[in-house]
Amino acid sequence: MDIKLLGTGAAEGWPGLFCDCVVCTHARNSGGKNIRSRASALIDGVLKIDLPPDLHMQATRYGLNLRDLRYLLITHSHDDHLCPTELQYMGQWFVTRPLPNNLQIYGPTPALNRIQREVDISKLPVCVTPVSPQQVLNLDDYRITAIEAAHDPSQLCLNYIISTQDGTQVLYASDTGWYTEETWQFIERQRFDAVIIECTKGPTPTDYSGHLDMFQVIEMKARLLRTHSIALDTPFIATHFSHLGRSTHEELECALLSHNIVTAYDGYELSVSAAKRVVLAP
Ligand SMILES: [Zn+2]
Ligand SMILES: [Zn+2]
Ligand SMILES: [Zn+2]
């Protein structure tokens, strides 16, 4: 499974559009990995996670042709993860020849309702299917399991476990919050070859419980290690960072490296295979 993180920033982007804090100023001056666009991932060139407002920039920046997309998983309806009007450019008025596939869109009902409110999907090559927590989707090449995030009490938000036929399994967790015990018990029965998880607040905890800070991400990793859901060398990748965490990319990298956690950046790529999995003694 080839994963590319097209966007690794939180809602307001990094630098924040209207922010001149030290971190944003450093980002504007230094560029590179300190520039983060909104949350977006692409798997094997055919499976997209989330549809952020930066998608055009991301596709252009990485030379992506999105005509071959087959599946779109939406995590939740927040603006940084879902910009429904981008879908209109799949329509016959905006392409010189029809798309080869109907894009199958899956997500929680509030997100799909938003798409249907903002775009007339009857004229687009898409089909939309609501997903519930712990529901399994058997797509041609992937087995997708939705799990409930603890991100926004006003609406259902999902994270996804993505598996391929060779047994490779990845947890994509953004936006997340600290899972409920029910979700924990479900994921602790799984085995992951990589975990991609939000670390929105970096080293600066706040009272807001809908996002994770660095210490919670470290605790999550420890818990998954205890239940053998991951091994010590399983790639564990932090993403969806906010400048409000008050750390530059370099500072985050330094802080997370000692916990063997990767600080993702826009354009980060990872190739994951169950064949590389370390077999644990029973
Ligand atoms: Zn977000
Ligand atoms: Zn800032
Ligand atoms: Zn969100």
Side-chain angles (χ1 to χ4, degrees), residues 72-88:
L72 172 61
L73 306 180
I74 301 292
T75 56
H76 62 301
S77 78
H78 289 170
D79 285 346
D80 54 324
H81 297 256
L82 178 60
C83 180
T85 47
E86 292 299 303
L87 291 171
Q88 66 187 308

Side-chain angles (χ1 to χ4, degrees), residues 159-171:
N159 291 174
Y160 292 103
I161 298 168
I162 300 153
S163 316
T164 48
Q165 285 167 352
D166 66 356
T168 304
Q169 183 152 279
V170 169
L171 172 62

Side-chain angles (χ1 to χ4, degrees), residues 30 59 171 264 270:
S30 57
L171 172 62
L270 177 70

